Amino acid sequence: ASVTVRSSSHDYEVLIGKGLRHNLVEFISSGYTSILVITDSTVKDHYLQDVKESLSEATPVFTAVVPAGESSKSMVRYEELLDSCVDVKLDRKSLIIALGGGMIGDLAGFVASTYLRGIDYIQMPTTILAHDSSVGGKVAINHPKGKNLIGSFYHPVKVIYDIETMETLPESEIRSGYGEVIKHAFLSDEDWAHRLLKGKLSELSVKQLESDIMKGIQVKASIVEKDEREAGIRKYLNLGHTLAHAIEAELGYGEITHGEAVAVGLLFMMKLSNELKGAQLPIQAYKEWLDDNNYPVSVLTRIRPDRMLERMMLDKKTLRRKINFVLLHELSDPYVVEIEEAQLLEQMSLLINEVS
Ligand code: NAD
Ligand code: ZN
């Protein structure tokens, strides 16, 4: 299957399928002078060999490996990777392949966007969450004071999504990926959302996974195409994220995965939509789905509403101390609204009580 993404610089294809990593020569132009595969220490053990073996023998292939984990999205690793680019003499006709999850996609994409003022890169996502990060052109590294503070908009020339690589994902990463999948369903398609709520992640088939990833990418791509630089509707993609970012920052990154935090943020979004704006979102069914799939909803009992509010104020997307939330009138009907601090505090306390 494939999805075409249109961006202001160029259109590119997202190929989705089983075992694509074994046939890379078919999908990658033979015109590159050299290739640098950037990956992390965990993904390397699983898939680097397959990827190297399936690239053309006519083109020199180099590799660079960074430690697995969010802390590699740093200035230090970025510099090291630039050193590798220089050492192996990548030129303007060279290609970078980002083989890994969202961390590698963001880091290697940022290297590609700045080395020689930008060279081609291909995303080869290996996590479910990366269905989100590999499309849309946002690449970045973190600053000690905040996530993704240093980055650019830079689209890949292609995304090659080998669904088979998801077989080695730990449970927590499957949950994390599905936090963003269900967000995309809530934003776009009531039937799909209900279907997801009826299923269990532990019983997920490869066919289902492939279809969910493809639908998620279509939602993301269609929103990003209409609003590349987040002037308007791209904000909808922040559904569930206002609280999620605050939780991640409060608990410390790594305590809970990004997508798990988003899943909890979506619960708060439902609460606000229903209690303050009269929506009738299926909050009970969603709570059960979260429980059945072991999402860490109990983190809510470890946070303090007043501290969450302060964190939301500090969010780089908060302007002039106004906290804007993306809410839903109903499934597939998002809007942005400003919510008063007192109401946020009250609803958060209520939710914390409900889940305690
Ligand atoms: P990740 O890349 O850190 O991967 C999570 C863990 O899974 C890592 O330990 C990794 O080594 C391991 N892993 C990856 N693939 C595997 C596989 N196939 N089998 C076994 N283990 C595997 O994290 P992620 O959740 O994929 O992505 C999170 C990152 O994405 C964050 O840095 C976030 O900021 C970024 N992100 C970016 C965007 C964007 O638009 N650019 C959107 C969402 C998230
Ligand atoms: Zn997200």
Side-chain angles (χ1 to χ4, degrees):
S2 85
V3 179
T4 304
V5 183
R6 285 166 226 293
S7 83
S8 52
S9 55
H10 60 276
D11 295 354
Y12 56 96
E13 250 188 316
V14 182
L15 305 174
I16 307 159
K18 273 178 268 178
L20 297 184
R21 70 185 182 287
H22 297 299
N23 303 306
L24 294 176
V25 222
E26 274 180 47
F27 314 124
I28 298 178
S29 148
S30 58
Y32 291 109
T33 49
S34 60
I35 297 176
L36 176 65
V37 183
I38 299 178
T39 191
D40 75 30
S41 48
T42 303
V43 178
K44 164 185 166 273
D45 290 342
H46 291 296
Y47 305 110
L48 182 60
Q49 198 55 31
D50 293 347
V51 166
K52 278 165 71 181
E53 277 171 11
S54 91
L55 289 166
S56 161
E57 282 173 17
T59 314
V61 177
F62 305 98
T63 56
V65 182
V66 300
E70 183 68 19
S71 59
S72 279
K73 252 174 76 174
S74 67
M75 202 54 118
V76 175
R77 298 300 170 207
Y78 169 66
E79 246 191 280
E80 279 177 13
L81 288 173
L82 287 176
D83 288 345
S84 304
C85 294
V86 175
D87 288 346
V88 304
K89 302 192 171 61
L90 296 193
D91 61 31
R92 291 212 164 75
K93 292 266 166 63
S94 299
L95 173 74
I96 286 178
I97 296 180
L99 174 68
M103 183 280 281
I104 283 294
D106 280 13
L107 172 65
F110 186 56
V111 170
S113 81
T114 48
Y115 180 69
L116 301 178
R117 298 197 185 82
I119 63 171
D120 283 0
Y121 81 112
I122 286 179
Q123 296 260 21
M124 284 194 66
T126 62
T127 63
I128 300 172
L129 187 123
H131 85 277
D132 183 5
S133 56
S134 61
V135 171
K138 283 189 181 177
V139 293
I141 56 174
N142 301 326
H143 183 275
K145 290 270 167 66
K147 271 195 73 169
N148 300 325
L149 291 188
I150 306 149
S152 50
F153 284 98
Y154 196 68
H155 294 275
V157 294
K158 195 164 275 180
V159 180
I160 302 174
Y161 218 128
D162 184 346
I163 298 293
E164 236 171 51
T165 61
M166 253 116 280
E167 279 169 17
T168 48
L169 281 180
E171 231 182 89
S172 58
E173 297 302 336
I174 295 176
R175 270 198 298 276
S176 181
Y178 264 82
E180 299 280 9
V181 168
I182 205 152
K183 177 196 81 177
H184 285 136
F186 286 170
L187 282 173
S188 68
D189 185 336
E190 193 176 347
D191 292 340
W192 179 27
H194 284 298
R195 240 180 301 136
L196 286 173
L197 290 178
K198 278 188 204 119
K200 257 192 110 169
L201 295 183
S202 56
E203 289 155 15
L204 197 65
S205 68
V206 181
K207 206 168 148 242
Q208 168 92 51
L209 176 64
E210 183 169 351
S211 144
D212 288 339
I213 282 181
M214 163 123 144
K215 286 165 85 78
I217 288 175
Q218 280 167 335
V219 176
K220 171 106 190 224
S222 85
I223 291 178
V224 168
E225 277 167 12
K226 290 180 198 127
D227 178 18
E228 245 183 270
R229 303 221 161 216
E230 199 158 338
I233 63 166
R234 188 166 182 160
K235 292 198 176 70
Y236 294 161
L237 295 171
N238 291 325
L239 192 75
H241 278 63
T242 314
L243 182 65
H245 288 150
I247 293 177
E248 286 180 275
E250 180 74 9
L251 298 181
Y253 295 98
E255 265 294 297
I256 172 173
T257 62
H258 174 66
E260 287 173 326
V262 170
V264 174
L266 289 170
L267 180 63
F268 187 48
M269 174 283 293
M270 281 194 169
K271 179 92 182 149
L272 296 175
S273 302
N274 287 0
E275 300 298 326
L276 301 179
K277 305 288 170 191
Q280 297 185 318
L281 303 172
I283 195 164
Q284 202 47 43
Y286 184 54
K287 265 189 194 157
E288 282 162 24
W289 183 82
L290 292 173
D291 281 343
D292 288 349
N293 292 297
N294 303 319
Y295 280 89
V297 180
S298 63
V299 293
L300 284 171
T301 63
R302 287 165 55 199
I303 57 169
R304 276 176 39 192
D306 55 331
R307 293 185 57 106
M308 287 295 105
L309 220 62
E310 260 325 294
R311 295 268 185 202
M312 290 180 199
M313 295 288 182
L314 291 173
D315 196 301
K316 68 177 184 293
K317 285 178 180 151
T318 302
L319 302 172
R320 294 182 296 274
R321 282 192 77 84
K322 289 190 172 161
I323 304 186
N324 284 311
F325 267 80
V326 185
L327 298 184
L328 296 174
H329 289 302
E330 55 187 342
L331 291 176
S332 82
D333 189 1
Y335 63 106
V336 178
V337 64
E338 189 192 328
I339 301 187
E340 281 175 26
E341 295 180 32
Q343 289 190 313
L344 285 176
L345 279 175
E346 187 191 4
Q347 294 303 324
M348 209 180 303
S349 304
L350 288 171
L351 184 63
I352 291 172
N353 278 330
E354 282 170 35
V355 302
S356 298

